[in-house]
């Protein structure tokens, strides 16, 4: 054991503290540990047993963080309850999504068995609206229940292992950390775009109100595009949310983000590679109001957007894998 263990302990104890007080508390703890080691060793070289004894006297880093007010760093949920909170959200929201998917699957199966050509399965847009109708109350209820248990002092994290000092987390390099601001903006932006796409028909009608009722996309493209775009932005929000939770380029983050990017690329291809993509009304309107050489470019606008999406996914995946390989932690 070396002094690296002290640094890992300080990192584990302060990583969930408010940013404005984190540095001061870290300096205070480092000075206290150094004083206790000096008093214990009385001039001799510091050994493994000395560091272990001093750190054990301070206690596990999570308990120390709570004494310093780590609750403020997580808002409603303190670090001791953050793990169970994430698990409860995953179970509740995942269960909600599974139920909606099962409803659609049963409807599609019934339609297939009947063979009448009439689908009894709910539309993707209806299922997405229904999912969000249930997801937000579930999120609120889980958050409030966990916050209440936290405030009542109910222990939320499983007991520390006997040798918790050896299990201290590694310190991520500065370049291995993911910007919290960027992740938060990504989550909020994805939520806004999902809301926009859920109201795509109303917004497109309002945009062309002066031209009369105009259908922007062809009938075979509109349903696939809107449902695919909602799923695409939903997956983007999940990636940013996971980055916000993970906070660093780790192997786990690289695997999850790469898998979701592959899935996103498939959804984008399915949603945009449709011909004809635009409605005849919109094509005629563009042809009347733009130069002649613009129309061929417009007709392939969906392919251009698809190429940009796939290119950005490749760049983001490459950056994630590079940073994880060079700076990341397990």
């Amino acid at each position: 054991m070396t002094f690296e263990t002290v640094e890992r302990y300080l990192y584990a104890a302060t990583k969930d503290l408010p940013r404005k007080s984190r540095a001061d508390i870290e300096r205070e703890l480092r000075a206290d540990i150094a004083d206790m080691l000096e008093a214990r060793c009385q001039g001799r070289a510091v050994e493994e047993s000395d560091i272990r004894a001093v750190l054990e006297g301070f206690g596990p880093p999570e308990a120390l963080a709570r004494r310093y007010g780590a609750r403020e760093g997580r808002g409603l949920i303190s670090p001791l309850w953050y793990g169970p909170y994430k698990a409860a959200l995953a179970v509740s929201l995942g269960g909600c999504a599974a139920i909606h998917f099962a409803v659609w699957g049963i409807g599609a199966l019934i339609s297939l068995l009947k063979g009448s050509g009439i689908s009894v399965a709910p539309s993707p847009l209806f299922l997405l609206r229904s999912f969000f109708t249930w997801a937000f109350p579930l999120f609120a209820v889980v958050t409030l229940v966990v916050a209440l248990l936290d405030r009542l002092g109910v222990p939320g994290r499983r007991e520390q292992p006997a040798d918790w000092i050896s299990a201290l987390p590694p310190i991520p390099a500065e370049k291995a950390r993911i910007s919290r601001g960027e992740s938060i903006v990504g989550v909020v932006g994805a939520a806004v775009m999902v809301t926009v796409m859920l109201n795509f028909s109303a917004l497109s009608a309002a945009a062309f109100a002066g031209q009369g009722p105009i259908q922007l996309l062809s009938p075979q493209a509109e349903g696939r595009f809107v449902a695919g775009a909602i799923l695409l932005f939903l997956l983007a929000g999940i990636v940013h949310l996971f980055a916000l939770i993970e906070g660093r380029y780790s192997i786990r983050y690289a695997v999850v983000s790469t898998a979701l990017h592959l899935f996103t690329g498939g959804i984008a291809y399915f949603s945009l590679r449709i011909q004809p993509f635009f409605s005849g009304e919109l094509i005629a309107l563009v042809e009347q109001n733009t130069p002649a050489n613009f129309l061929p470019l417009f007709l392939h606008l969906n392919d251009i957007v698809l190429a940009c999406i796939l290119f950005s996914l490749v760049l983001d995946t490459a950056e994630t894998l590079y940073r994880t390989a060079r700076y990341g932690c397990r």
Side-chain angles (χ1 to χ4, degrees), residues 85-152:
Y85 173 60
K86 290 190 295 182
L89 281 181
V91 170
S92 57
L93 297 181
C96 181
I99 290 172
H100 281 77
F101 183 79
V103 169
W104 177 84
I106 293 171
L109 180 61
I110 293 174
S111 301
L112 182 65
L113 293 176
K114 283 187 173 182
S116 60
I118 300 176
S119 175
V120 299
S123 70
L125 286 179
F126 173 81
L127 287 174
L128 284 169
R129 287 193 183 98
S130 177
F131 171 76
F132 282 108
T133 300
W134 284 96
F136 286 117
L138 280 174
F139 176 83
V141 168
V142 170
T143 301
L144 291 175
V145 169
V146 172
L148 178 61
L149 293 174
D150 191 15
R151 292 297 190 273
L152 293 175

Side-chain angles (χ1 to χ4, degrees), residues 273-287:
R273 285 291 294 168
I274 308 169
Q275 293 297 340
F277 187 75
F278 298 104
S279 68
E281 296 173 284
L282 183 61
I283 293 174
L285 182 63
V286 171
E287 189 174 13

Side-chain angles (χ1 to χ4, degrees), residues 92-274:
S92 57
L93 297 181
C96 181
I99 290 172
H100 281 77
F101 183 79
V103 169
W104 177 84
I106 293 171
L109 180 61
I110 293 174
S111 301
L112 182 65
L113 293 176
K114 283 187 173 182
S116 60
I118 300 176
S119 175
V120 299
S123 70
L125 286 179
F126 173 81
L127 287 174
L128 284 169
R129 287 193 183 98
S130 177
F131 171 76
F132 282 108
T133 300
W134 284 96
F136 286 117
L138 280 174
F139 176 83
V141 168
V142 170
T143 301
L144 291 175
V145 169
V146 172
L148 178 61
L149 293 174
D150 191 15
R151 292 297 190 273
L152 293 175
V154 178
R157 182 171 292 182
R158 64 179 182 274
E159 294 183 1
Q160 292 285 341
D163 188 11
W164 55 264
I165 293 179
S166 299
L168 290 171
I171 304 173
E174 186 63 33
K175 292 184 179 180
R177 299 180 182 180
I178 302 174
S179 168
R180 287 177 59 86
E182 180 182 337
S183 300
I184 292 172
V185 170
V187 172
V188 174
V192 170
M193 291 308 300
V194 167
T195 304
V196 169
M197 296 312 301
L198 284 172
N199 297 277
F200 176 79
S201 298
L203 292 173
S204 60
F208 288 87
Q211 304 289 338
I214 294 179
Q215 184 175 357
L216 298 185
L217 306 181
S218 63
Q220 61 267 42
E222 183 166 359
R224 280 173 58 177
F225 169 74
V226 174
I230 291 171
L231 288 175
L232 190 148
F233 288 118
L234 195 58
L235 288 173
I238 292 173
V239 171
H240 286 294
L241 182 61
F242 190 77
L244 182 63
I245 294 171
E246 190 74 2
R248 60 197 175 99
Y249 289 98
S250 62
I251 293 177
R252 179 170 54 185
Y253 173 73
V255 171
V256 171
S257 64
T258 301
L260 290 177
H261 282 163
L262 289 173
F263 194 33
T264 300
I267 291 174
Y269 186 88
F270 173 80
S271 306
L272 292 169
R273 285 291 294 168
I274 308 169

